[in-house]
Amino acid sequence: MSQHLDSRLLLGVSGGISAYKSVDLVRRLKERGFEVRVVMTQAATALITPLTFQAVSGHPVRTRLFDPVAEAGMDHIELARWAEWLLIAPATADLMARMAAGIADDLLTTLVLATDAQVCLAPAMNQHMWRHPATQENLETLRARGARILGPIDGDQACGDVGPGRMLEPIEIAESIRPRAEPPLAGVRVLLTAGPTREPLDPVRYLGNRSSGRMGYALANVLCDLGAQVILVSGPTELPAPPVVELVSVETAAEMHAAVMGRTTACDLFVATAAVADYRPASPAAHKIKKDAAELSLRLIRNPDILAQVAALPNPPFTVGFAAETREVERAARDKLTSKGLDMIAANQVGEPLGGFESEDNALTVLWDGGRRDLPMMTKTRLARELALLIVERYRERHAAST
Ligand code: CTP
């Protein structure tokens, strides 16, 4: 099910004394760009607490198959599908035996059967257990089924023996799965707009919109994680600043336009998530408008379309737009893709009791010339990650085609 950059790794920790080393292993894997989630066997929890792994992985740790709370979030089948790698470290003799026999009597062994991820094992056990014909036969069975076996090595053992059965060091396990590589967007300069704009009517009032900025900020965070140098041009939001190289705070569409157009030369990728007001009051009042008249008409004039102008530059960056549509989402978005000359557009249906501006969740249909992908309803944080990975894919493809 490897969709993108094969970075989703499920670490299974079984009950070997070297389980404590797997805490460092999580850190090493994260340094190499993996998103790590941890599953522990009951025996492992006797040696080290799930909370320790939660702290280093940044995600709750699963220990039981029938845990109603955890199953209500990402259930075990979803977790099995999510994983692109299943690394078991340490893998005890018992766990290898259960795997070889196809037993699924706890969460980890169930995941082994339910996933089509690449399985890797870092065995760790006493040297006699390692040499035992039963273990060696199980090892061959697992290898024949496609599991990659990492180690063990010879050395001093926790039990006082010296011999084979010592788990590889975390850095060696991490290196053999993936050497430390540059993040996929290292050196890529991204300009991103987010949030709403406010168009003043007078010194105290404005025309605004419901955009929270959440989708744009989540995307900025993911793009930073992927190594991009991000400049964020943002309308007013309550959100904490992502780790961008520059955050330019603006209020009006005209300010956003000026901030963007002044920064396009140093930009490889332009992502327009902002909900920019299409119109602004023609002449905002210098003083607070009084309610003297029975009626009040506002004359509005068009704001520049920032996205369309960036896409029309002589040497445009890779441009990604958003489209919020109330009906015929795909047709309207495809029209916008063509009329604005974009490389990609992410469209969502608004005006429904689903997703959209103020919601925590959203779904998107992403379109490009000759292709599409549906990203189903999920949290904006997860959606941002899926979308960012899709942007990386398309950006690299275009880059490869033009070099
Ligand atoms: N956008 C922009 N500058 C504007 C208006 C919109 O950069 N003045 C960008 C938005 O950030 C979004 C995309 O254009 O990425 C689509 O905006 P949307 O309002 O959905 O479409 P419009 O082109 O304004 O068309 P319409 O409102 O007629 O549907």
Side-chain angles (χ1 to χ4, degrees), residues 193 272-274 276-278 303-307 321-325 336 340:
T193 65
T273 73
V276 188
D278 289 325
N303 277 325
D305 189 318
I306 305 168
L307 177 60
F322 274 69
E325 308 292 348
K336 257 174 219 176
K340 294 197 191 194

Side-chain angles (χ1 to χ4, degrees), residues 96-155:
M96 286 169 51
R98 285 189 290 142
M99 281 176 70
I103 292 171
D105 61 351
D106 65 4
L107 177 61
L108 183 53
T109 47
T110 303
L111 288 168
V112 169
L113 294 190
T115 192
D116 59 6
Q118 170 65 54
V119 175
C120 302
L121 298 174
M125 65 199 71
N126 165 274
Q127 55 151 337
H128 294 290
M129 295 173 81
W130 173 252
R131 288 197 176 105
H132 196 285
T135 305
Q136 289 302 311
E137 275 170 33
N138 291 335
L139 184 72
E140 283 322 307
T141 304
L142 295 172
R143 212 195 296 270
R145 284 185 202 148
R148 273 173 60 190
I149 313 295
L150 315 172
I153 48 167
D154 273 30

Side-chain angles (χ1 to χ4, degrees), residues 201-272:
L201 286 166
D202 68 17
V204 294
R205 302 182 181 95
Y206 58 82
L207 293 179
N209 61 62
R210 292 181 195 277
S211 165
S212 63
R214 270 204 286 269
M215 189 66 210
Y217 274 57
L219 206 49
N221 273 303
V222 180
L223 292 167
C224 290
D225 274 359
L226 295 174
Q229 291 166 268
V230 181
I231 298 178
L232 173 60
V233 179
S234 174
T237 75
E238 300 284 310
L239 301 168
V244 292
V245 292
E246 189 186 1
L247 171 61
V248 189
S249 298
V250 297
E251 286 230 351
T252 64
E255 287 168 8
M256 187 172 276
H257 177 250
V260 167
M261 299 317 283
R263 289 172 173 80
T264 51
T265 44
C267 157
D268 306 302
L269 194 63
F270 178 64
V271 187

Side-chain angles (χ1 to χ4, degrees), residues 251-371:
E251 286 230 351
T252 64
E255 287 168 8
M256 187 172 276
H257 177 250
V260 167
M261 299 317 283
R263 289 172 173 80
T264 51
T265 44
C267 157
D268 306 302
L269 194 63
F270 178 64
V271 187
T273 73
V276 188
D278 289 325
Y279 295 89
R280 67 177 181 276
S283 35
H287 297 285
K288 191 179 169 205
I289 302 169
K290 295 287 180 190
K291 53 177 179 306
D292 303 329
E295 274 184 26
L296 181 66
S297 297
L298 283 177
R299 198 167 70 84
L300 302 175
I301 53 173
R302 276 289 288 272
N303 277 325
D305 189 318
I306 305 168
L307 177 60
Q309 284 194 13
V310 171
L313 287 169
N315 263 322
F318 185 93
T319 48
V320 183
F322 274 69
E325 308 292 348
T326 51
R327 61 200 167 114
E328 290 194 89
V329 179
E330 180 154 355
R331 200 174 60 82
R334 213 167 261 291
D335 285 351
K336 257 174 219 176
L337 180 76
T338 319
S339 65
K340 294 197 191 194
L342 310 179
D343 293 296
M344 242 173 115
I345 194 156
N348 71 321
Q349 177 126 13
V350 289
E352 295 261 314
L354 307 158
F357 280 147
E358 288 170 325
S359 162
E360 290 289 341
D361 293 341
N362 206 359
L364 291 171
T365 299
V366 188
L367 307 169
W368 59 91
D369 188 15

